[in-house]
Amino acid sequence: MPSEGRPVRLKDVADHAGVSLATASRMLSDADYKGRAALRDRVLAAASELGYRPNLHARALASSTSTSVGLVVHDVRDSYFAMIAGGVIEVAEAHDLLVTMVCTYRDPQQELNYLRLLSTQRPRAIVLAGSSFSDRAHATAMTEQLAAYQAAGGAIVSVTRGRKIGHLVKIGNVEAARRFAHRLVDLGHTSFGVISGPAKLMSVSDRLRGFRLGLEDRGVRLDPGSIVRVDLSRDGGARGARLLLDRPDRPTCVFGVADVVAVGAMAWIRSAGLRVPADVSVAGFGGTPLAFDAVPVLTTVELPLERIGRVAMELALLPGSEPRHTVEIDGAVVMRDSTAPPRR
């Protein structure tokens, strides 16, 4: 039961009815939802008993009459997110919608703060384009906030996995990284170093897991000491390359979980008097413009980033919040000049 004097929240209704936030949100926000009648009756009874009243003004503002969309990214300075944002904005502008974009800089608390702020502005939809976090307390707080926003009539789209509410654009990070590992082993490499990112980012964990699985498929074991974690930046990539290649048993191939990391690694390798790929091959992930601008041109998993943004915005325009739509988008392994067979 809510404490005396505090407004009744959607979470209170969900707890009282013994259902998830997502279920309570669906039952209260979508009269046409074809869920179980008994479950709906239980949620409605809980709402009535607690005196829960949805904010009808907010519902109207978050409906199709709203002319704004919220977009949450990690860092728009990173071309990965800039290209996704470009796709979102392209579709939004075609529908005369204004996009308000915020950057979390991979801070879970900042993500939650911005979500709350955007919700108060009651946009028609909120698109979450950054990776979700592995922190359970943060995930619970996000779910509660998203459920409340959805119950008020807003649409939610996530470009990630791990969100329980709203539509989903699922990027095939695991399988793409797995195939990538196959190609690099087939090129002749058996000694790898991985420049990874913060463990709290689920997209990073997925890419690392897929890469490890791909190596295991080919009988190659990735030693834990061959994985370094850095900030997902050019400087982070340079630091990761130094840590890996200063070792006496340096790898013949370095995999950066993001293009920006791989490009930073290549810069450090050149500064150390080594050659790419003659002395060490380098591979990235993302398919950003950095991959084309790198010298030599970067081998990477190419993701259709602008298309991902367009699909996310198209999902945000769907009427109603149910059924939950999931669109899966895969990456393509593109072998370029930064990788070559290792020297024997």
Side-chain angles (χ1 to χ4, degrees), residues 245-274:
L245 300 179
D246 275 351
R247 299 168 44 171
D249 56 340
R250 75 184 188 206
T252 63
C253 182
V254 171
F255 168 53
V257 297
D259 285 348
V260 65
V261 169
V263 170
M266 291 171 64
W268 185 87
I269 291 168
R270 286 194 300 270
S271 70
L274 299 173

Side-chain angles (χ1 to χ4, degrees), residues 290-304:
L290 285 173
F292 297 99
D293 296 339
V295 180
V297 183
L298 183 65
T299 289
T300 189
V301 171
E302 198 165 273
L303 298 173

Side-chain angles (χ1 to χ4, degrees), residues 102-136:
V102 294
C103 299
T104 68
Y105 300 106
R106 300 183 177 88
D107 181 341
Q109 187 58 48
Q110 189 74 301
E111 180 183 58
L112 186 58
N113 292 342
Y114 275 135
L115 177 59
R116 288 169 175 158
L117 177 62
L118 288 172
S119 297
T120 64
Q121 298 176 4
R122 303 301 174 187
R124 174 171 176 171
I126 294 177
V127 177
L128 301 163
S131 170
S132 54
F133 298 92
S134 58
D135 180 84
R136 289 187 178 181

